[in-house]
Amino acid sequence: WYELFPRSTTTTPGKHGTFADALQRLPYIADMGFDVVYLPPIHPIGRAHRKGRNNNVVCKPGEPGSPWAIGSAEGGHKAVHPLLGTLDDFDRFVAAAHGHHLEVALDIAFQCSPDHPYVREHPAWFRKRADGSIQYAENPPKKYQDIYPFDFETEDWQALWRELKSVFEFWMDHGVRIFRVDNPHTKALAFWEWVIAELKHRDPGVIFLAEAFTKPKLMANLAKSGYCQSYTYFTWRNSKWELTEYLRELSQGPAREYFRPNFWPNTPDILHAALVHGGRPAFMNRLVLAATMSGNYGIYGPAFELCVNTPREPGSEEYLDSEKYEIKHWDLEAPQSLKGYLKRLNAARRTHPALQRVGTPVFHETENDKIICYSKREGDDVLLVVVNLDPVWKQGGFVNLDLDALGVGADELFEVHDLLDDARYVWRSRRNYVELEPQQRPAHLFAVSHRQV
């Protein structure tokens, strides 16, 4: 998955991008080997309580607001922001994406700006305070004065649920078959069980990704309610022990029967300290981990491939000058770009079935805890991954391989071919030395040859 703000795709700094501009970005995304281009909400943005730069409660003239504050006089969840273009322009964007072998995923955020037509036409769909005013959304310590949440337990719940189902159907009629759902854990589980089943009956291939960073039991219940994929705690699992235990939980525990993880090293909401302090090498090693541990992964770009890592303030996971609140102009040819690295990594994922699902990874012993080593196997396709978890210092040490897991005999010569830089090595026996320099080579992604060489 590749997340893209259409309004930031113009080549003119400060100018609001359009679907036509975003269409011109598709070859760049396809060339890196992605399968899905995911768009944040594309609807009209409210003006009441509109957020300014860096989530400021005061919005200056000309500031575009957050795309998640949906709805204005121009329309709501079934309309597109007029500065992006028209529905016909969106249809052309979807068709062009398909021409590049990309699917379009759309963000579904069931919430409204105070200007949304629903607020005026269906006031019973919103929870009110004692003084009669509508309660804005909160996710402590965050406050969203520009957003009203729906009341899924309103007395008029049947009409509300039918209308929200029609939002999905509207965009399905415009060629969208993948939906990333914003904060589904704050909505009724019964609604998701019903609406996903209804929409799956209409189109069994439609995909729903749950954007829920919440308690494990609730995340599990969302998956059981019908979500095809789920965001995870990967972003906050950074040490060798944390990564090993978490992947074992997902791949060998009860969750493997119902929970389909989608690993994201960054999102517009989450800039982890590992990226802040680790710089470009941390972006590289987190990328390799996400793309090889999970069958599905995504990045928020171009911030990720350009290694943007300045927080709003020390200790914050919010970006300074976040794209959520302003239009950005990206230099896609910047020298620090990881687009070539992404291209090689995604090419490996496309050609190696072992990387296309979580499977049952095998962790191999390393004599240096700054190095993690694991393998994945799908039939004769065997991949061995070795990652330096230290973004600053070169780390070396011996890995002690489980040769049975690799399909290699005890005294057999075997070749490991690094798919990231095309280096080849001939190994023999279970104990082998690796050395990884974070600036140049933070990881090996080895295809293992089973034959004698």
Side-chain angles (χ1 to χ4, degrees), residues 239-267:
S239 72
K240 176 184 173 182
W241 183 87
E242 289 172 330
L243 289 163
T244 301
E245 291 302 304
Y246 191 49
L247 197 56
R248 282 177 174 159
E249 174 188 331
L250 296 177
S251 64
Q252 299 173 30
R256 70 172 293 162
E257 304 298 334
Y258 57 84
F259 194 89
R260 298 290 176 265
N262 195 322
F263 280 8
W264 289 69
N266 77 327
T267 76

PDB file of all heavy atoms in Angstrom, residues 239-267:
ATOM      1  N   SER A 239      12.650  -3.910  19.344  1.00  0.00           N
ATOM      2  CA  SER A 239      13.778  -4.747  19.749  1.00  0.00           C
ATOM      3  C   SER A 239      13.630  -6.151  19.158  1.00  0.00           C
ATOM      4  O   SER A 239      12.552  -6.545  18.695  1.00  0.00           O
ATOM      5  CB  SER A 239      13.852  -4.847  21.273  1.00  0.00           C
ATOM      6  OG  SER A 239      12.793  -5.650  21.782  1.00  0.00           O
ATOM      7  N   LYS A 240      14.711  -6.895  19.187  1.00  0.00           N
ATOM      8  CA  LYS A 240      14.688  -8.266  18.680  1.00  0.00           C
ATOM      9  C   LYS A 240      13.634  -9.090  19.414  1.00  0.00           C
ATOM     10  O   LYS A 240      12.850  -9.823  18.781  1.00  0.00           O
ATOM     11  CB  LYS A 240      16.069  -8.889  18.840  1.00  0.00           C
ATOM     12  CG  LYS A 240      16.164 -10.355  18.443  1.00  0.00           C
ATOM     13  CD  LYS A 240      17.557 -10.898  18.734  1.00  0.00           C
ATOM     14  CE  LYS A 240      17.636 -12.395  18.497  1.00  0.00           C
ATOM     15  NZ  LYS A 240      18.993 -12.924  18.823  1.00  0.00           N
ATOM     16  N   TRP A 241      13.589  -8.979  20.732  1.00  0.00           N
ATOM     17  CA  TRP A 241      12.632  -9.760  21.516  1.00  0.00           C
ATOM     18  C   TRP A 241      11.203  -9.351  21.191  1.00  0.00           C
ATOM     19  O   TRP A 241      10.327 -10.209  20.991  1.00  0.00           O
ATOM     20  CB  TRP A 241      12.909  -9.573  23.006  1.00  0.00           C
ATOM     21  CG  TRP A 241      11.996 -10.399  23.867  1.00  0.00           C
ATOM     22  CD1 TRP A 241      12.164 -11.684  24.271  1.00  0.00           C
ATOM     23  CD2 TRP A 241      10.739  -9.969  24.429  1.00  0.00           C
ATOM     24  NE1 TRP A 241      11.100 -12.100  25.039  1.00  0.00           N
ATOM     25  CE2 TRP A 241      10.214 -11.067  25.162  1.00  0.00           C
ATOM     26  CE3 TRP A 241      10.016  -8.778  24.396  1.00  0.00           C
ATOM     27  CZ2 TRP A 241       8.991 -10.996  25.849  1.00  0.00           C
ATOM     28  CZ3 TRP A 241       8.799  -8.703  25.072  1.00  0.00           C
ATOM     29  CH2 TRP A 241       8.301  -9.794  25.783  1.00  0.00           C
ATOM     30  N   GLU A 242      10.932  -8.041  21.116  1.00  0.00           N
ATOM     31  CA  GLU A 242       9.576  -7.569  20.828  1.00  0.00           C
ATOM     32  C   GLU A 242       9.095  -8.047  19.461  1.00  0.00           C
ATOM     33  O   GLU A 242       7.956  -8.522  19.315  1.00  0.00           O
ATOM     34  CB  GLU A 242       9.537  -6.041  20.869  1.00  0.00           C
ATOM     35  CG  GLU A 242       9.685  -5.442  22.245  1.00  0.00           C
ATOM     36  CD  GLU A 242       9.825  -3.937  22.200  1.00  0.00           C
ATOM     37  OE1 GLU A 242      10.360  -3.393  21.201  1.00  0.00           O
ATOM     38  OE2 GLU A 242       9.418  -3.299  23.187  1.00  0.00           O
ATOM     39  N   LEU A 243       9.947  -7.935  18.464  1.00  0.00           N
ATOM     40  CA  LEU A 243       9.567  -8.349  17.114  1.00  0.00           C
ATOM     41  C   LEU A 243       9.345  -9.857  17.044  1.00  0.00           C
ATOM     42  O   LEU A 243       8.378 -10.328  16.424  1.00  0.00           O
ATOM     43  CB  LEU A 243      10.648  -7.926  16.123  1.00  0.00           C
ATOM     44  CG  LEU A 243      10.754  -6.422  15.854  1.00  0.00           C
ATOM     45  CD1 LEU A 243      12.085  -6.086  15.203  1.00  0.00           C
ATOM     46  CD2 LEU A 243       9.599  -5.952  14.976  1.00  0.00           C
ATOM     47  N   THR A 244      10.216 -10.619  17.682  1.00  0.00           N
ATOM     48  CA  THR A 244      10.099 -12.078  17.655  1.00  0.00           C
ATOM     49  C   THR A 244       8.805 -12.524  18.319  1.00  0.00           C
ATOM     50  O   THR A 244       8.038 -13.324  17.757  1.00  0.00           O
ATOM     51  CB  THR A 244      11.308 -12.723  18.357  1.00  0.00           C
ATOM     52  OG1 THR A 244      12.510 -12.320  17.706  1.00  0.00           O
ATOM     53  CG2 THR A 244      11.209 -14.236  18.340  1.00  0.00           C
ATOM     54  N   GLU A 245       8.548 -12.012  19.504  1.00  0.00           N
ATOM     55  CA  GLU A 245       7.344 -12.424  20.230  1.00  0.00           C
ATOM     56  C   GLU A 245       6.080 -11.985  19.506  1.00  0.00           C
ATOM     57  O   GLU A 245       5.083 -12.725  19.458  1.00  0.00           O
ATOM     58  CB  GLU A 245       7.378 -11.855  21.651  1.00  0.00           C
ATOM     59  CG  GLU A 245       8.442 -12.476  22.536  1.00  0.00           C
ATOM     60  CD  GLU A 245       8.284 -13.983  22.649  1.00  0.00           C
ATOM     61  OE1 GLU A 245       7.195 -14.434  23.059  1.00  0.00           O
ATOM     62  OE2 GLU A 245       9.251 -14.709  22.311  1.00  0.00           O
ATOM     63  N   TYR A 246       6.095 -10.784  18.919  1.00  0.00           N
ATOM     64  CA  TYR A 246       4.885 -10.298  18.254  1.00  0.00           C
ATOM     65  C   TYR A 246       4.583 -11.100  16.992  1.00  0.00           C
ATOM     66  O   TYR A 246       3.432 -11.471  16.742  1.00  0.00           O
ATOM     67  CB  TYR A 246       5.031  -8.816  17.927  1.00  0.00           C
ATOM     68  CG  TYR A 246       3.737  -8.174  17.481  1.00  0.00           C
ATOM     69  CD1 TYR A 246       2.573  -8.355  18.214  1.00  0.00           C
ATOM     70  CD2 TYR A 246       3.685  -7.397  16.331  1.00  0.00           C
ATOM     71  CE1 TYR A 246       1.377  -7.765  17.812  1.00  0.00           C
ATOM     72  CE2 TYR A 246       2.501  -6.804  15.938  1.00  0.00           C
ATOM     73  CZ  TYR A 246       1.342  -6.992  16.676  1.00  0.00           C
ATOM     74  OH  TYR A 246       0.161  -6.414  16.273  1.00  0.00           O
ATOM     75  N   LEU A 247       5.609 -11.406  16.216  1.00  0.00           N
ATOM     76  CA  LEU A 247       5.361 -12.168  14.998  1.00  0.00           C
ATOM     77  C   LEU A 247       4.948 -13.597  15.336  1.00  0.00           C
ATOM     78  O   LEU A 247       4.104 -14.192  14.643  1.00  0.00           O
ATOM     79  CB  LEU A 247       6.597 -12.157  14.095  1.00  0.00           C
ATOM     80  CG  LEU A 247       6.332 -12.573  12.647  1.00  0.00           C
ATOM     81  CD1 LEU A 247       5.258 -11.695  12.013  1.00  0.00           C
ATOM     82  CD2 LEU A 247       7.587 -12.522  11.811  1.00  0.00           C
ATOM     83  N   ARG A 248       5.499 -14.165  16.380  1.00  0.00           N
ATOM     84  CA  ARG A 248       5.043 -15.494  16.810  1.00  0.00           C
ATOM     85  C   ARG A 248       3.581 -15.453  17.239  1.00  0.00           C
ATOM     86  O   ARG A 248       2.810 -16.371  16.947  1.00  0.00           O
ATOM     87  CB  ARG A 248       5.935 -16.002  17.945  1.00  0.00           C
ATOM     88  CG  ARG A 248       7.278 -16.542  17.463  1.00  0.00           C
ATOM     89  CD  ARG A 248       8.166 -16.959  18.618  1.00  0.00           C
ATOM     90  NE  ARG A 248       9.388 -17.605  18.139  1.00  0.00           N
ATOM     91  CZ  ARG A 248      10.500 -17.713  18.848  1.00  0.00           C
ATOM     92  NH1 ARG A 248      10.544 -17.219  20.096  1.00  0.00           N
ATOM     93  NH2 ARG A 248      11.566 -18.306  18.354  1.00  0.00           N
ATOM     94  N   GLU A 249       3.189 -14.387  17.933  1.00  0.00           N
ATOM     95  CA  GLU A 249       1.794 -14.248  18.339  1.00  0.00           C
ATOM     96  C   GLU A 249       0.864 -14.213  17.135  1.00  0.00           C
ATOM     97  O   GLU A 249      -0.194 -14.851  17.122  1.00  0.00           O
ATOM     98  CB  GLU A 249       1.638 -12.960  19.161  1.00  0.00           C
ATOM     99  CG  GLU A 249       0.204 -12.628  19.534  1.00  0.00           C
ATOM    100  CD  GLU A 249       0.080 -11.251  20.161  1.00  0.00           C
ATOM    101  OE1 GLU A 249       1.058 -10.797  20.791  1.00  0.00           O
ATOM    102  OE2 GLU A 249      -0.986 -10.633  20.018  1.00  0.00           O
ATOM    103  N   LEU A 250       1.259 -13.455  16.098  1.00  0.00           N
ATOM    104  CA  LEU A 250       0.415 -13.324  14.914  1.00  0.00           C
ATOM    105  C   LEU A 250       0.411 -14.571  14.041  1.00  0.00           C
ATOM    106  O   LEU A 250      -0.584 -14.864  13.383  1.00  0.00           O
ATOM    107  CB  LEU A 250       0.875 -12.127  14.081  1.00  0.00           C
ATOM    108  CG  LEU A 250       0.752 -10.744  14.725  1.00  0.00           C
ATOM    109  CD1 LEU A 250       1.313  -9.684  13.794  1.00  0.00           C
ATOM    110  CD2 LEU A 250      -0.702 -10.436  15.059  1.00  0.00           C
ATOM    111  N   SER A 251       1.522 -15.294  14.035  1.00  0.00           N
ATOM    112  CA  SER A 251       1.663 -16.400  13.087  1.00  0.00           C
ATOM    113  C   SER A 251       1.440 -17.783  13.696  1.00  0.00           C
ATOM    114  O   SER A 251       1.178 -18.747  12.963  1.00  0.00           O
ATOM    115  CB  SER A 251       3.057 -16.374  12.448  1.00  0.00           C
ATOM    116  OG  SER A 251       4.070 -16.587  13.418  1.00  0.00           O
ATOM    117  N   GLN A 252       1.533 -17.903  15.007  1.00  0.00           N
ATOM    118  CA  GLN A 252       1.436 -19.218  15.627  1.00  0.00           C
ATOM    119  C   GLN A 252       0.358 -19.305  16.707  1.00  0.00           C
ATOM    120  O   GLN A 252      -0.005 -20.396  17.131  1.00  0.00           O
ATOM    121  CB  GLN A 252       2.799 -19.610  16.224  1.00  0.00           C
ATOM    122  CG  GLN A 252       3.897 -19.687  15.177  1.00  0.00           C
ATOM    123  CD  GLN A 252       5.278 -19.915  15.773  1.00  0.00           C
ATOM    124  OE1 GLN A 252       5.412 -20.531  16.819  1.00  0.00           O
ATOM    125  NE2 GLN A 252       6.303 -19.416  15.102  1.00  0.00           N
ATOM    126  N   GLY A 253      -0.149 -18.167  17.174  1.00  0.00           N
ATOM    127  CA  GLY A 253      -1.196 -18.175  18.179  1.00  0.00           C
ATOM    128  C   GLY A 253      -2.573 -18.229  17.546  1.00  0.00           C
ATOM    129  O   GLY A 253      -2.715 -18.355  16.317  1.00  0.00           O
ATOM    130  N   PRO A 254      -3.625 -18.137  18.348  1.00  0.00           N
ATOM    131  CA  PRO A 254      -5.003 -18.183  17.825  1.00  0.00           C
ATOM    132  C   PRO A 254      -5.286 -17.112  16.781  1.00  0.00           C
ATOM    133  O   PRO A 254      -6.117 -17.312  15.892  1.00  0.00           O
ATOM    134  CB  PRO A 254      -5.854 -17.973  19.084  1.00  0.00           C
ATOM    135  CG  PRO A 254      -4.988 -18.406  20.218  1.00  0.00           C
ATOM    136  CD  PRO A 254      -3.583 -18.063  19.819  1.00  0.00           C
ATOM    137  N   ALA A 255      -4.571 -15.962  16.851  1.00  0.00           N
ATOM    138  CA  ALA A 255      -4.835 -14.859  15.918  1.00  0.00           C
ATOM    139  C   ALA A 255      -4.604 -15.249  14.462  1.00  0.00           C
ATOM    140  O   ALA A 255      -5.195 -14.649  13.557  1.00  0.00           O
ATOM    141  CB  ALA A 255      -3.969 -13.649  16.274  1.00  0.00           C
ATOM    142  N   ARG A 256      -3.766 -16.245  14.224  1.00  0.00           N
ATOM    143  CA  ARG A 256      -3.482 -16.626  12.832  1.00  0.00           C
ATOM    144  C   ARG A 256      -4.738 -17.091  12.097  1.00  0.00           C
ATOM    145  O   ARG A 256      -4.788 -17.093  10.862  1.00  0.00           O
ATOM    146  CB  ARG A 256      -2.405 -17.702  12.773  1.00  0.00           C
ATOM    147  CG  ARG A 256      -2.799 -19.076  13.285  1.00  0.00           C
ATOM    148  CD  ARG A 256      -1.731 -20.108  12.998  1.00  0.00           C
ATOM    149  NE  ARG A 256      -1.618 -20.348  11.555  1.00  0.00           N
ATOM    150  CZ  ARG A 256      -0.565 -20.922  10.988  1.00  0.00           C
ATOM    151  NH1 ARG A 256       0.472 -21.285  11.714  1.00  0.00           N
ATOM    152  NH2 ARG A 256      -0.543 -21.109   9.687  1.00  0.00           N
ATOM    153  N   GLU A 257      -5.784 -17.486  12.843  1.00  0.00           N
ATOM    154  CA  GLU A 257      -7.007 -17.989  12.234  1.00  0.00           C
ATOM    155  C   GLU A 257      -7.937 -16.883  11.757  1.00  0.00           C
ATOM    156  O   GLU A 257      -8.849 -17.139  10.972  1.00  0.00           O
ATOM    157  CB  GLU A 257      -7.753 -18.899  13.225  1.00  0.00           C
ATOM    158  CG  GLU A 257      -6.933 -20.059  13.755  1.00  0.00           C
ATOM    159  CD  GLU A 257      -6.483 -21.026  12.655  1.00  0.00           C
ATOM    160  OE1 GLU A 257      -7.165 -21.096  11.612  1.00  0.00           O
ATOM    161  OE2 GLU A 257      -5.455 -21.701  12.846  1.00  0.00           O
ATOM    162  N   TYR A 258      -7.748 -15.654  12.258  1.00  0.00           N
ATOM    163  CA  TYR A 258      -8.712 -14.604  11.909  1.00  0.00           C
ATOM    164  C   TYR A 258      -8.084 -13.228  11.693  1.00  0.00           C
ATOM    165  O   TYR A 258      -8.730 -12.345  11.136  1.00  0.00           O
ATOM    166  CB  TYR A 258      -9.792 -14.490  12.994  1.00  0.00           C
ATOM    167  CG  TYR A 258      -9.251 -14.220  14.379  1.00  0.00           C
ATOM    168  CD1 TYR A 258      -8.944 -12.922  14.798  1.00  0.00           C
ATOM    169  CD2 TYR A 258      -9.034 -15.257  15.276  1.00  0.00           C
ATOM    170  CE1 TYR A 258      -8.430 -12.673  16.059  1.00  0.00           C
ATOM    171  CE2 TYR A 258      -8.534 -15.023  16.549  1.00  0.00           C
ATOM    172  CZ  TYR A 258      -8.234 -13.736  16.939  1.00  0.00           C
ATOM    173  OH  TYR A 258      -7.723 -13.496  18.184  1.00  0.00           O
ATOM    174  N   PHE A 259      -6.852 -13.015  12.116  1.00  0.00           N
ATOM    175  CA  PHE A 259      -6.244 -11.683  12.092  1.00  0.00           C
ATOM    176  C   PHE A 259      -5.236 -11.609  10.958  1.00  0.00           C
ATOM    177  O   PHE A 259      -4.236 -12.322  10.967  1.00  0.00           O
ATOM    178  CB  PHE A 259      -5.561 -11.415  13.439  1.00  0.00           C
ATOM    179  CG  PHE A 259      -5.192  -9.974  13.677  1.00  0.00           C
ATOM    180  CD1 PHE A 259      -6.088  -9.098  14.271  1.00  0.00           C
ATOM    181  CD2 PHE A 259      -3.943  -9.483  13.329  1.00  0.00           C
ATOM    182  CE1 PHE A 259      -5.747  -7.773  14.519  1.00  0.00           C
ATOM    183  CE2 PHE A 259      -3.589  -8.168  13.558  1.00  0.00           C
ATOM    184  CZ  PHE A 259      -4.492  -7.307  14.153  1.00  0.00           C
ATOM    185  N   ARG A 260      -5.501 -10.739   9.979  1.00  0.00           N
ATOM    186  CA  ARG A 260      -4.603 -10.574   8.836  1.00  0.00           C
ATOM    187  C   ARG A 260      -3.863  -9.246   8.986  1.00  0.00           C
ATOM    188  O   ARG A 260      -4.423  -8.181   8.730  1.00  0.00           O
ATOM    189  CB  ARG A 260      -5.383 -10.612   7.521  1.00  0.00           C
ATOM    190  CG  ARG A 260      -6.093 -11.934   7.282  1.00  0.00           C
ATOM    191  CD  ARG A 260      -5.118 -13.053   6.992  1.00  0.00           C
ATOM    192  NE  ARG A 260      -5.776 -14.347   6.864  1.00  0.00           N
ATOM    193  CZ  ARG A 260      -5.925 -15.236   7.838  1.00  0.00           C
ATOM    194  NH1 ARG A 260      -5.466 -14.969   9.047  1.00  0.00           N
ATOM    195  NH2 ARG A 260      -6.527 -16.389   7.628  1.00  0.00           N
ATOM    196  N   PRO A 261      -2.604  -9.268   9.408  1.00  0.00           N
ATOM    197  CA  PRO A 261      -1.905  -8.020   9.720  1.00  0.00           C
ATOM    198  C   PRO A 261      -1.467  -7.253   8.481  1.00  0.00           C
ATOM    199  O   PRO A 261      -1.168  -7.831   7.434  1.00  0.00           O
ATOM    200  CB  PRO A 261      -0.687  -8.499  10.509  1.00  0.00           C
ATOM    201  CG  PRO A 261      -0.432  -9.894  10.018  1.00  0.00           C
ATOM    202  CD  PRO A 261      -1.795 -10.468   9.710  1.00  0.00           C
ATOM    203  N   ASN A 262      -1.435  -5.942   8.628  1.00  0.00           N
ATOM    204  CA  ASN A 262      -0.887  -5.040   7.623  1.00  0.00           C
ATOM    205  C   ASN A 262       0.080  -4.125   8.370  1.00  0.00           C
ATOM    206  O   ASN A 262      -0.336  -3.323   9.200  1.00  0.00           O
ATOM    207  CB  ASN A 262      -2.010  -4.243   6.952  1.00  0.00           C
ATOM    208  CG  ASN A 262      -1.568  -3.565   5.670  1.00  0.00           C
ATOM    209  OD1 ASN A 262      -0.442  -3.077   5.579  1.00  0.00           O
ATOM    210  ND2 ASN A 262      -2.448  -3.511   4.678  1.00  0.00           N
ATOM    211  N   PHE A 263       1.382  -4.293   8.102  1.00  0.00           N
ATOM    212  CA  PHE A 263       2.418  -3.577   8.852  1.00  0.00           C
ATOM    213  C   PHE A 263       2.713  -2.223   8.206  1.00  0.00           C
ATOM    214  O   PHE A 263       3.003  -2.158   7.013  1.00  0.00           O
ATOM    215  CB  PHE A 263       3.712  -4.392   8.892  1.00  0.00           C
ATOM    216  CG  PHE A 263       3.726  -5.503   9.919  1.00  0.00           C
ATOM    217  CD1 PHE A 263       2.594  -5.859  10.631  1.00  0.00           C
ATOM    218  CD2 PHE A 263       4.894  -6.206  10.170  1.00  0.00           C
ATOM    219  CE1 PHE A 263       2.612  -6.877  11.571  1.00  0.00           C
ATOM    220  CE2 PHE A 263       4.938  -7.227  11.106  1.00  0.00           C
ATOM    221  CZ  PHE A 263       3.789  -7.559  11.820  1.00  0.00           C
ATOM    222  N   TRP A 264       2.676  -1.173   9.027  1.00  0.00           N
ATOM    223  CA  TRP A 264       2.975   0.193   8.565  1.00  0.00           C
ATOM    224  C   TRP A 264       4.080   0.778   9.437  1.00  0.00           C
ATOM    225  O   TRP A 264       3.866   0.979  10.639  1.00  0.00           O
ATOM    226  CB  TRP A 264       1.726   1.081   8.648  1.00  0.00           C
ATOM    227  CG  TRP A 264       0.686   0.742   7.633  1.00  0.00           C
ATOM    228  CD1 TRP A 264      -0.087  -0.384   7.590  1.00  0.00           C
ATOM    229  CD2 TRP A 264       0.306   1.527   6.500  1.00  0.00           C
ATOM    230  NE1 TRP A 264      -0.919  -0.347   6.501  1.00  0.00           N
ATOM    231  CE2 TRP A 264      -0.705   0.810   5.817  1.00  0.00           C
ATOM    232  CE3 TRP A 264       0.720   2.765   6.013  1.00  0.00           C
ATOM    233  CZ2 TRP A 264      -1.304   1.306   4.653  1.00  0.00           C
ATOM    234  CZ3 TRP A 264       0.121   3.250   4.861  1.00  0.00           C
ATOM    235  CH2 TRP A 264      -0.874   2.529   4.185  1.00  0.00           C
ATOM    236  N   PRO A 265       5.246   1.100   8.892  1.00  0.00           N
ATOM    237  CA  PRO A 265       6.292   1.748   9.695  1.00  0.00           C
ATOM    238  C   PRO A 265       6.013   3.213   9.989  1.00  0.00           C
ATOM    239  O   PRO A 265       6.600   3.786  10.900  1.00  0.00           O
ATOM    240  CB  PRO A 265       7.554   1.581   8.843  1.00  0.00           C
ATOM    241  CG  PRO A 265       7.070   1.362   7.454  1.00  0.00           C
ATOM    242  CD  PRO A 265       5.723   0.713   7.553  1.00  0.00           C
ATOM    243  N   ASN A 266       5.116   3.835   9.219  1.00  0.00           N
ATOM    244  CA  ASN A 266       4.700   5.210   9.514  1.00  0.00           C
ATOM    245  C   ASN A 266       3.294   5.423   8.979  1.00  0.00           C
ATOM    246  O   ASN A 266       2.808   4.677   8.115  1.00  0.00           O
ATOM    247  CB  ASN A 266       5.655   6.247   8.911  1.00  0.00           C
ATOM    248  CG  ASN A 266       5.454   6.443   7.412  1.00  0.00           C
ATOM    249  OD1 ASN A 266       5.104   5.505   6.687  1.00  0.00           O
ATOM    250  ND2 ASN A 266       5.694   7.646   6.920  1.00  0.00           N
ATOM    251  N   THR A 267       2.598   6.413   9.505  1.00  0.00           N
ATOM    252  CA  THR A 267       1.318   6.881   8.985  1.00  0.00           C
ATOM    253  C   THR A 267       1.308   8.401   9.144  1.00  0.00           C
ATOM    254  O   THR A 267       2.181   8.960   9.824  1.00  0.00           O
ATOM    255  CB  THR A 267       0.110   6.278   9.743  1.00  0.00           C
ATOM    256  OG1 THR A 267      -0.025   6.944  11.005  1.00  0.00           O
ATOM    257  CG2 THR A 267       0.254   4.775   9.949  1.00  0.00           C
TER     258      THR A 267
END
